[in-house]
Amino acid sequence: MDFTVLTLFPELINSFFEHGMIQRGIDKKLITGNCVNVRDFSTDRHHKVDDKPYGGGSGMLMKPEPLKAAIEMAKEKSPCSKVVLMTPQGARFNQNKAFEMASRNKGLIFICGRYEGIDERVYTTMIDEEISIGDYVMTGGELASMVIIDSVARLIPGLLGCSESFKSDSFIDDRLEYAQYTRPEEFEGLKVPDVLLSGNHEKIRLWRKRSSLQRTFLKRPDLLEKGKLSDEEKQIVTRWCQELEDLVQ
Ligand code: ADE
């Protein structure tokens, strides 16, 4: 899958492509990471990429010509890719969106706005989709594009060491991930729950399900409102309620 980022700060993006699992994915040719400096497409003597908004107002806008030329070049290199504008006005990114993007496997060209935004004519003619990573405003779209690439790339088969890893991720089926422990068995007086050392796979599965439900209930109850409880989850919750009742009696 091709990831292309159009930016005025290529160092930020290139460094991201050169580290961790993303670099590994690139080395294994599972993904490509391409960075395009929009300034290279300015024909202006001073390589200007911004200008004042017509009608006045504060701040500057990204000029249309260099941006259009950069998008065209990126599309030429990766014709199936979708052009995505990073903007706080876009649809909110989440794990479902990450799955959708990874399974479409079509390639993504990210436009990272700077200044007050981009010229409306580029926006209306060249952008396929607008995405926001949350209801807050950053100085540019670079961090947002890296958030998206990171979460989409790790879903591409073969990129994570263990192909099953993401199946227990938080937000799968609207539940948070269960509690996890590694060695030592006892750390500062706190012991690993016995069931995890038991080797009984069914008991471990049920313990994890309960841990996942408890965490979701305590940290993100809004997720439980969205998805109904399965029969097994209802049983777990009933037992949990019973235990709490016993505790207060
Ligand atoms: N650019 C600035 N703020 C942003 C946000 N919240 N999401 C995506 N792109 C942005």
Side-chain angles (χ1 to χ4, degrees), residues 86-88 131-134 136-138 140-141 144:
M86 302 318 306
T87 163
I131 297 189
S132 161
I133 59 162
Y136 42 83
V137 182
M138 298 183 292

Side-chain angles (χ1 to χ4, degrees), residues 6 26 41 50 66 116 124 152 204 231:
L6 274 54
I26 293 171
F41 293 82
D50 61 330
E116 291 302 307
T124 50
V152 173
I204 293 173
D231 287 346

Side-chain angles (χ1 to χ4, degrees), residues 191-207:
K191 290 184 75 181
V192 175
D194 286 339
V195 58
L196 298 180
L197 311 173
S198 70
N200 183 326
H201 296 303
E202 179 57 11
K203 279 192 177 162
I204 293 173
R205 186 187 70 78
L206 283 171
W207 184 91

Side-chain angles (χ1 to χ4, degrees), residues 1 82 93-106 108 129 131 152 155:
M1 182 166 179
K82 249 190 168 188
F93 185 70
N94 60 22
Q95 189 67 22
N96 283 342
K97 189 77 193 162
F99 271 117
E100 186 195 309
M101 285 172 153
S103 55
R104 207 188 311 125
N105 199 11
K106 280 282 189 228
L108 297 163
E129 194 169 354
I131 297 189
V152 173
L155 299 176

